[in-house]
Amino acid sequence: MLFSALKSVEDRTVELAAGTRMTIKSLHTELVKDEHLSLRAVYKTVHKLIDAGVLLKVGKQIMIDHEWAKSVSEILSTTPAPLLSSNERAVYTFVSVEHLDAFWKTVTLPLENSISAREIFFYNPHNFWAYLPARKQSEDAYYRHFSDKRYGFFTIGGDSRADTEFKKAYQNEYLQIDLRDITLFRRTDHVTILGPMIITVRLAKGISERIDKLYASEESLESILPEIIRICQKPGKIRFMLENNPKKAERLKKVLARNFYFKRRE
């Protein structure tokens, strides 16, 4: 499926054509890096996508049909934000870290589009999510999307060697990272605040304690990551709580905002 983990030859062809205009021969050169394909098979794939209205061929070059791209974009952009009344809460349970993270983005990204707040606040005891192999590409893309239109203010509840490595790797003027434990937050809770909406991902106490212990070892992220991955393979029940609570959100944002700043707009 297009842009998913399971990619057909058609998917790879569309992804490559979306990046730049290519000839069929240059497309074949790229495709055979991943699997053996004859030039004839690539021609057949391209013509199939042309007939489907996905690609155009102009001279020797193939390119994305922008009418098709526009229609796909319009369909995907209509994903609705979750609707909760003031002081209403919804709770979900997961037993897979990968499914949880995918759901987190399915909820958060539409909320970003529907809420005009200039900043999103985060609190994680440690941000190991950024390094889990199955979700790393998604995480990196999410962190890259912050800009002068919206800031990410990220507080990490520890200043260990591995926590500091995350800050050095990801911090910039739009994704700002502060290392300080805040006792108001549970060590089990990973919190996101966007406008009046609060998302809390709550790990089992035993899981969070094992992760805290790894970070406290002062080993590098590279050293502790294999054990973090093993822990996350069997995380037990993870609670995902979404609540619309304007007063609570404002109170938490005041606590988190202390060491963050906005870049002055020109």
Side-chain angles (χ1 to χ4, degrees):
M1 185 178 292
L2 190 60
F3 297 115
S4 72
L6 301 174
K7 297 177 181 178
S8 66
V9 176
E10 288 84 358
D11 295 331
R12 289 285 296 130
T13 297
V14 173
E15 289 183 11
L16 289 167
T20 184
R21 296 183 179 183
M22 310 182 77
T23 65
I24 295 180
K25 288 185 177 180
S26 62
L27 174 65
H28 176 251
T29 300
E30 292 299 318
L31 288 172
V32 295
K33 292 178 181 178
D34 298 323
E35 60 180 299
H36 177 72
L37 287 169
S38 67
L39 182 59
R40 180 180 179 183
V42 176
Y43 268 100
K44 185 176 179 179
T45 297
V46 168
H47 285 295
K48 180 180 177 181
L49 291 169
I50 290 172
D51 291 341
V54 176
L55 296 181
L56 295 173
K57 186 172 183 292
V58 180
K60 293 184 177 181
Q61 291 188 325
I62 58 169
M63 62 198 76
I64 294 292
D65 185 322
H66 282 275
E67 286 188 337
W68 171 82
K70 183 174 181 293
S71 66
V72 172
S73 177
E74 288 173 349
I75 291 169
L76 295 179
S77 66
T78 57
T79 303
L83 297 176
L84 292 179
S85 300
S86 183
N87 297 313
E88 185 180 1
R89 185 174 74 160
V91 181
Y92 307 87
T93 302
F94 292 86
V95 293
S96 163
V97 167
E98 289 80 10
H99 291 169
L100 164 74
D101 185 61
F103 183 72
W104 185 92
K105 292 186 177 70
T106 299
V107 170
T108 302
L109 293 175
L111 281 176
E112 288 188 25
N113 292 331
S114 65
I115 295 174
S116 60
R118 197 181 171 197
E119 70 286 328
I120 304 177
F121 288 88
F122 306 92
Y123 181 85
N124 283 189
H126 309 285
N127 188 11
F128 58 87
W129 310 95
Y131 299 95
L132 298 177
R135 301 301 298 171
K136 182 165 176 53
Q137 184 176 3
S138 171
E139 286 289 287
D140 287 350
Y142 182 72
Y143 297 140
R144 285 196 302 269
H145 96 292
F146 289 101
S147 67
D148 58 350
K149 294 181 180 179
R150 179 165 281 143
Y151 283 70
F153 293 152
F154 208 134
T155 301
I156 299 295
D159 58 359
S160 69
R161 177 180 176 182
D163 292 314
T164 303
E165 287 179 22
F166 167 69
K167 179 175 180 176
K168 288 180 178 179
Y170 285 93
Q171 176 164 264
N172 58 56
E173 60 186 323
Y174 302 118
L175 179 61
Q176 298 173 27
I177 300 171
D178 185 23
L179 304 181
R180 62 184 175 110
D181 184 24
I182 301 175
T183 56
L184 175 65
F185 296 96
R186 300 183 187 186
R187 298 301 295 175
T188 54
D189 289 2
H190 299 244
V191 180
T192 303
I193 308 169
L194 177 56
M197 307 298 290
I198 305 168
I199 298 171
T200 303
V201 171
R202 181 165 294 164
L203 301 181
K205 183 179 179 182
I207 296 295
S208 63
E209 287 176 346
R210 290 170 66 188
I211 292 173
D212 271 341
K213 187 176 180 180
L214 285 171
Y215 276 82
S217 70
E218 291 297 337
E219 297 289 335
S220 68
L221 197 288
E222 183 180 6
S223 296
I224 66 175
L225 183 58
E227 183 60 24
I228 290 175
I229 293 171
R230 280 192 288 272
I231 291 171
C232 289
Q233 286 172 346
K234 295 183 178 180
K237 290 185 179 181
I238 309 171
R239 295 184 74 198
F240 180 106
M241 292 170 282
L242 174 66
E243 55 186 316
N244 182 348
N245 193 326
K247 290 184 178 180
K248 180 180 177 181
E250 285 304 313
R251 177 168 56 88
L252 295 179
K253 283 188 281 189
K254 286 180 181 178
V255 173
L256 292 171
R258 188 178 76 186
N259 294 331
F260 299 119
Y261 63 90
F262 288 114
K263 180 182 178 182
R264 181 177 297 176
R265 286 175 169 168
E266 301 297 336

